[in-house]
């Protein structure tokens, strides 16, 4: 069997066109959805991420503001900027790019963002809303994974989903979203004794670890759906995921590539959340 590719670029294109159409409709009512991206310091990877996010906003007709600050910015000054953005009616979504410099308490900054503008979905109120099934913003990466499953009309009811990784931004919210769609969910982590025994039972596997070849073909049940969140570099310095793509694609029914899989979906769901925030604010 050769797995069908779930193409994150193609799905993103489709979803971003929908965002642009909805943004136009809001603009006709006098509201332009706006995202503020705050970057503190000169982390190279963060600079690329924020540039891509701002460009994606512009391409979809959303207003975006990029605020860049020196690594020496104080926590108090950053909290004051977040508060100003909370009170700015032209801004519907606020994203503070992580990681922050070590002298700033990242969680404190995230908690300072108004939950109504928490388009990254990292605020404790957003996490609580996801856990209890209340309306809120879902973290973009696992939300993108759910959209990928939806795109292949995958019915999660009664299926066994195994999530590898339990971070607050990917693994845990991913597990809750799968649970909400009635999957039976197993969460694996570095303390899991026999990862292969778990993944071999899975109908759906989400790998969100940050290590190459965490999932190999012998660990996958024939016909399983495999979503690869990982972002790593191979020996040639090229971007690759957590999954041994060449091997696993011979066993799985569907698989996401890296690059061109979950990555573009993360930015797309940020646009969706920003648009949603603007729509809610304008009601
Ligand atoms: P993280 O906070 O480092 O979490 C990694 C998780 O993997 C932890 O829960 C850890 O377990 C678990 N783990 C480590 N080694 C393991 C092993 N051998 N077997 C099973 N579990 C293991 O990372 P993250 O922020 O969730 O990100 C995960 C990956 O996704 C990274 O490569 C990151 O770059 C990528 N990512 C991609 C996107 C995207 O847009 N494509 C977005 C976000 C993240 P413990 O909890 O026990 O330590």
């Amino acid at each position: 069997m050769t797995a069908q590719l779930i193409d994150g670029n193609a799905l993103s294109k489709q979803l971003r066109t929908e965002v642009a159409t909805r943004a136009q409709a809001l603009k006709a009512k006098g509201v332009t959805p706006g995202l503020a991206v705050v970057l503190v310091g000169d982390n190279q990877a963060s600079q690329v991420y924020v540039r891509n996010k701002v460009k994606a906003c512009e391409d979809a007709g959303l207003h975006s503001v990029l605020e860049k600050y020196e690594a020496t910015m104080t926590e108090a000054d950053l909290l004051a900027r977040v508060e100003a953005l909370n009170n700015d009616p032209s801004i519907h979504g606020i994203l503070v790019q992580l990681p922050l410099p070590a002298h700033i308490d990242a969680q404190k900054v995230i908690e300072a963002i108004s939950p109504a503008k928490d388009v990254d979905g990292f605020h404790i109120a957003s996490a609580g809303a996801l856990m209890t099934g209340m309306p809120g913003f879902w973290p973009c990466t696992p939300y993108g994974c759910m959209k990928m499953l939806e795109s292949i009309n995958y019915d999660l009811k009664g299926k066994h989903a195994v999530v590898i990784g339990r971070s607050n931004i990917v693994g845990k919210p991913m597990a809750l979203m799968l649970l909400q769609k009635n999957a039976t969910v197993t969460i694996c982590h570095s303390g899991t004794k026999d990862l292969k025994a778990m993944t071999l039972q899975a109908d759906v596997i989400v790998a969100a670890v940050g290590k190459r070849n965490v999932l190999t073909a012998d660990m996958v049940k024939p016909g399983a759906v495999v979503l690869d969140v990982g972002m790593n570099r191979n020996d040639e310095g090229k971007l690759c995921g957590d999954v041994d793509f060449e091997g696993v694609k011979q066993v799985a029914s569907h698989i996401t590539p890296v690059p061109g899989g979950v990555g573009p979906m993360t930015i797309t769901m940020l646009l969706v959340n920003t648009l949603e925030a603007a729509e809610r604010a304008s009601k």
Side-chain angles (χ1 to χ4, degrees):
M1 178 192 298
T2 301
Q4 205 177 310
L5 219 60
I6 310 179
D7 182 341
N9 284 324
L11 182 56
S12 281
K13 201 170 165 199
Q14 182 195 323
L15 292 172
R16 290 182 198 195
T17 304
E18 287 169 25
V19 166
T21 307
R22 278 165 66 189
Q24 271 310 116
L26 261 190
K27 276 188 196 171
K29 290 201 255 167
V31 179
T32 301
L35 173 72
V37 179
V38 181
L39 176 65
V40 184
D42 50 13
N43 180 301
Q44 293 295 308
S46 293
Q47 304 220 17
V48 175
Y49 294 150
V50 300
R51 257 204 316 272
N52 290 344
K53 287 167 186 174
V54 167
K55 181 170 184 312
C57 274
E58 283 162 6
D59 291 348
L62 272 56
H63 165 61
S64 68
V65 180
L66 174 56
E67 296 195 3
K68 281 183 172 182
Y69 298 103
E70 298 290 324
T72 50
M73 184 185 210
T74 65
E75 184 181 282
D77 283 348
L78 179 55
L79 289 170
R81 274 314 303 151
V82 169
E83 188 53 24
L85 292 168
N86 281 340
N87 295 321
D88 181 342
S90 74
I91 294 299
H92 303 96
I94 303 170
L95 181 155
V96 178
Q97 185 66 42
L98 301 177
L100 287 169
H103 66 278
I104 298 178
D105 180 344
Q107 198 55 41
K108 197 168 168 186
V109 174
I110 290 168
E111 297 315 326
I113 297 171
S114 161
K117 298 190 178 188
D118 176 39
V119 288
D120 246 346
F122 295 166
H123 195 288
I124 204 160
S126 303
L130 171 59
M131 186 168 173
T132 52
M134 302 296 283
F137 293 109
W138 284 7
C140 301
T141 301
Y143 192 9
C145 289
M146 293 305 284
K147 284 284 171 194
M148 292 180 116
L149 290 174
E150 208 180 292
S151 76
I152 58 165
N153 296 315
Y154 193 81
D155 183 5
L156 282 160
K157 191 174 174 197
K159 298 290 189 338
H160 186 188
V162 170
V163 179
I164 319 175
R166 57 170 164 183
S167 70
N168 288 337
I169 62 169
V170 190
K172 277 186 218 160
M174 183 78 253
L176 288 167
M177 289 174 201
L178 293 162
L179 186 64
Q180 203 176 95
K181 292 290 179 192
N182 298 316
T184 300
V185 183
T186 300
I187 307 175
C188 299
H189 47 80
S190 66
T192 298
K193 279 209 177 113
D194 189 349
L195 183 62
K196 182 175 170 181
M198 299 296 150
T199 57
L200 272 176
Q201 295 175 39
D203 302 302
V204 176
I205 304 171
V206 182
V209 175
K211 285 182 188 160
R212 281 169 65 194
N213 297 331
V214 152
L215 192 76
T216 47
D218 58 313
M219 300 167 74
V220 178
K221 181 167 83 172
V225 175
V226 176
L227 307 183
D228 191 353
V229 178
M231 286 202 307
N232 312 295
R233 295 276 163 194
N234 67 15
D235 294 337
E236 290 89 53
K238 285 193 182 146
L239 192 64
C240 68
D242 290 347
V243 175
D244 170 23
F245 182 80
E246 291 306 322
V248 171
K249 80 173 185 202
Q250 305 301 328
V251 186
S253 67
H254 295 80
I255 189 166
T256 64
V258 179
V262 176
M265 289 301 291
T266 297
I267 297 189
T268 298
M269 300 325 290
L270 174 68
L271 302 181
V272 169
N273 278 348
T274 303
L275 177 76
E276 189 83 34
E279 286 177 344
R280 288 181 200 171
S282 70
K283 270 183 192 149

